[in-house]
Amino acid sequence: MRKFNDSLPLKLLRTRDKLMGYFRPLFLQYELTEQQWRVLRALYEYKELEPSQLAEYCNILTPSMTGILNRLEQAGHIYKRKGSEDRRRFVVGMTAPARDLFDDLSPEVEKCYDKMRADIGNDKVDELSELLDQVLERLDSLED
């Protein structure tokens, strides 16, 4: 068996944790978690989504998504409304204040990316991103 530190999933987790270190302090200033930010990013781009779609897009387990959505709703960042086709289902969208928050926070997030790229190197970040895209595409094709 390979050595503990040679585990690819562990390396990916450690890398993710270190990369998120660039963003966590900013999110904490705005009283957001990483997961809440992912949800807001998805809603900013897609406008309204069902919770199951959000869970898939944001790579968050459905049971966890319920709590995240409840906290975002309590903070006034999202609204929930019944679906137009199936009244038993609901969709989630961003409130106007949350859109303003997103607009304010986005340039700061880009500064975090700039710092990360400066520390790691643009070429390495681009190379890693492309390699991860290729691996994901390959793994997705195996599921079909």
Side-chain angles (χ1 to χ4, degrees):
M1 175 171 251
R2 71 186 67 241
K3 291 184 178 185
F4 180 75
N5 287 329
D6 288 339
S7 163
L8 183 59
L10 181 59
K11 286 181 181 184
L12 288 169
L13 286 169
R14 290 181 63 219
T15 301
R16 178 200 176 280
D17 194 51
K18 296 234 182 238
L19 290 176
M20 286 310 301
Y22 286 91
F23 304 95
R24 279 189 194 113
L26 177 63
F27 297 151
L28 283 173
Q29 283 180 331
Y30 287 84
E31 298 179 357
L32 292 171
T33 66
E34 301 161 37
Q35 296 84 0
Q36 289 172 334
W37 175 250
R38 269 188 269 159
V39 167
L40 292 177
R41 277 193 77 193
L43 291 174
Y44 192 85
E45 187 165 333
Y46 295 105
K47 309 299 181 225
E48 289 185 331
L49 293 168
E50 291 184 7
S52 60
Q53 292 172 303
L54 268 171
E56 182 181 339
Y57 292 166
C58 297
N59 202 36
I60 296 172
L61 296 175
T62 304
S64 298
M65 182 58 75
T66 301
I68 292 166
L69 292 178
N70 287 340
R71 286 185 289 283
L72 283 170
E73 186 177 34
Q74 289 170 355
H77 295 313
I78 65 163
Y79 62 83
K80 298 175 184 175
R81 71 169 181 81
K82 298 252 186 223
S84 54
E85 295 175 19
D86 184 346
R87 304 295 292 166
R88 295 170 294 178
R89 299 173 88 158
F90 67 93
V91 294
V92 178
M94 286 177 79
T95 62
R99 286 193 174 281
D100 292 341
L101 171 69
F102 188 91
D103 290 337
D104 291 344
L105 195 49
S106 292
E108 299 303 314
V109 169
E110 285 306 313
K111 288 179 186 174
C112 295
Y113 272 108
D114 291 344
K115 170 101 172 83
M116 179 184 67
R117 284 181 164 280
D119 290 350
I120 299 169
N122 281 326
D123 56 335
K124 290 294 182 195
V125 172
D126 292 343
E127 185 180 346
L128 177 60
S129 183
E130 184 164 323
L131 183 57
L132 289 171
D133 284 343
Q134 291 171 14
V135 170
L136 282 170
E137 184 178 314
R138 184 66 165 276
L139 291 172
D140 286 343
S141 73
L142 295 174
E143 291 177 356
D144 295 338

